[in-house]
């Protein structure tokens, strides 16, 4: 619902007042409003209802239900009267701001397990079966609507629409990476048993010990493998350094960790 509020604010307060389009179904709702004055809430509900039938075939039921919930609330919030819309001659500001808000709103809805239907339904399907990132797949489908919209909103506003879509895709990808990101740590040390015990007891997470063999000396040694959240990351290195300041530590940022529902990867 919070994502739906932000989404409606982006459309009603930044995009439509400055005659900036959008991609996918939202782009079609904007075109319908600009040309025939059809309510965006009505167009959003009808067209997304049709696309939800496609999602019913290819996505899990929970995603479909949450998407219906998001689409319903977006349509409701779009119907709320607009007070003090942001209109400016510097329309790039409106496009960038609208793109940031769109990316955040979709990130919130995606993290909750839903979509905003439209091109995000298609993006979820592509992500599930082809592994393409949600924001990138959605940008492709959105551009297929945004570029032809130049015939309605003009070439300059079409370019602003493309800029807005790009910003929203980047923000969406960054948001999903940041919220779902984890840190992986590999530790090579003579004191891995003590380090593992300290990490497990102080941070309350499991630690894995791997059997490794150094190629040059053919020497067997345990390697500690640990996955932690971004919040715990600042506590990991001091724990390791306190036990073995000479330890070799290899770290990496990983996008997602799942041990139950692998489809969400």
């Amino acid at each position: 619902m919070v994502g739906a509020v932000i989404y409606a604010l982006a459309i009603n307060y930044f995009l439509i007042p400055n005659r900036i389009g959008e991609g996918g179904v939202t782009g079609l709702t904007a075109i319908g409003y600009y040309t025939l004055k059809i309510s965006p809430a009505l167009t959003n509900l009808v067209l997304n209802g049709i696309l939800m039938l496609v999602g019913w075939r290819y996505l899990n039921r929970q995603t479909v239900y949450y998407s219906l919930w998001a689409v319903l609330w977006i349509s409701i919030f779009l119907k709320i009267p607009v007070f003090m819309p942001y209109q400016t001659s510097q329309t790039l500001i409106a496009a960038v701001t609208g793109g940031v808000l769109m990316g955040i709103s979709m990130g919130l809805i995606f993290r909750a397990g839903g979509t905003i239907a439209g091109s995000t339904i298609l993006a979820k399907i592509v992500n599930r079966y082809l592994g393409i990132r949600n924001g990138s797949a959605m940008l492709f489908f959105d551009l297929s609507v945004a570029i032809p919209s130049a015939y309605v909103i003009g070439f300059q506003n079409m370019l602003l629409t493309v800029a807005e879509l790009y910003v929203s895709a980047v923000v969406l990808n960054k948001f999903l990476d940041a919220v779902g990101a984890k840190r992986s740590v590999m530790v090579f040390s003579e004191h891995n048993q003590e380090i593992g015990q300290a990490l497990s007891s102080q941070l309350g997470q499991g630690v894995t010990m791997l059997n490794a063999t150094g190629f040059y000396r053919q020497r067997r040694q345990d390697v500690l493998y640990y996955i932690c959240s971004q919040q715990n990351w600042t506590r990991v290195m001091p724990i390791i350094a306190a036990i073995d300041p000479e330890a070799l530590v290899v770290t990496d940022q990983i996008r997602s960790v799942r041990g139950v529902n692998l489809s969400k990867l």
Side-chain angles (χ1 to χ4, degrees):
M1 289 175 66
V2 173
V5 170
I6 298 173
Y7 193 87
L9 286 175
I11 294 174
N12 282 344
Y13 283 83
F14 291 94
L15 301 186
I16 287 180
N18 295 281
R19 205 172 171 79
I20 298 172
E22 243 291 328
V25 167
T26 308
L28 295 176
T29 64
I31 292 173
Y33 177 79
Y34 295 143
T35 56
L36 303 173
K37 296 300 179 182
I38 301 175
S39 169
L42 177 62
T43 315
N44 178 71
L45 194 60
V46 173
L47 294 181
N48 278 326
I50 296 172
L51 278 173
M52 290 304 295
L53 297 176
V54 178
W56 185 267
R57 170 65 178 82
Y58 292 100
L59 298 177
N60 64 66
R61 296 296 177 260
Q62 180 175 309
T63 299
V64 174
Y65 294 143
Y66 285 169
S67 299
L68 284 170
W69 183 252
V71 168
L72 174 63
W73 281 104
I74 287 173
S75 297
I76 292 173
F77 292 132
L78 285 173
K79 285 290 290 182
I80 297 176
V82 178
F83 303 99
M84 299 178 64
Y86 182 75
Q87 291 180 303
T88 176
S89 59
Q90 302 294 325
T91 47
L92 182 60
I93 298 175
V96 171
T97 305
V100 171
L101 292 176
M102 283 286 197
I104 293 173
S105 68
M106 289 185 289
L108 289 170
I109 293 171
F110 275 28
R111 286 296 299 172
T115 71
I116 57 169
S119 58
T120 62
I121 285 282
L122 302 177
K124 274 278 190 181
I125 294 171
V126 169
N127 173 259
R128 179 172 181 179
Y129 291 100
L130 300 180
I132 299 174
R133 298 172 75 182
N134 284 294
S136 304
M138 194 172 62
L139 179 61
F140 171 79
F141 291 116
D142 284 345
L143 288 177
S144 65
V145 173
I147 293 176
S149 70
Y151 292 103
V152 176
I153 61 178
F155 183 73
Q156 177 176 299
N157 280 13
M158 183 273 287
L159 293 179
L160 288 171
T161 300
V162 172
E164 181 268 327
L165 289 172
Y166 177 75
V167 170
S168 67
V170 170
V171 171
L172 173 59
N173 282 335
K174 293 293 184 182
F175 181 91
L176 293 177
D177 286 351
V179 174
K182 302 279 187 179
R183 286 275 188 174
S184 66
V185 183
M186 293 188 74
V187 183
F188 299 82
S189 169
E190 298 290 342
H191 306 279
N192 270 344
Q193 293 293 332
E194 297 95 316
I195 294 173
Q197 179 62 41
L199 290 174
S200 181
S201 60
Q202 295 185 39
L203 301 182
Q205 291 181 237
V207 179
T208 301
M209 286 293 183
L210 307 176
N211 293 322
T213 303
F215 179 78
Y216 181 72
R217 295 181 179 176
Q218 292 296 307
R219 179 184 171 190
R220 291 187 176 276
Q221 181 180 359
D222 289 335
V223 176
L224 184 148
Y225 185 70
Y226 184 70
I227 296 175
C228 65
S229 65
Q230 293 281 22
Q231 290 77 11
N232 282 339
W233 169 240
T234 55
R235 300 173 59 190
V236 170
M237 296 307 295
I239 292 173
I240 298 174
I243 297 173
D244 184 4
E246 303 298 323
L248 172 63
V249 182
V250 181
T251 70
D252 196 9
Q253 187 172 29
I254 50 183
R255 288 184 57 203
S256 185
V257 178
R258 291 280 171 178
V260 180
N261 190 352
L262 293 181
S263 64
K264 288 207 171 188
L265 284 171

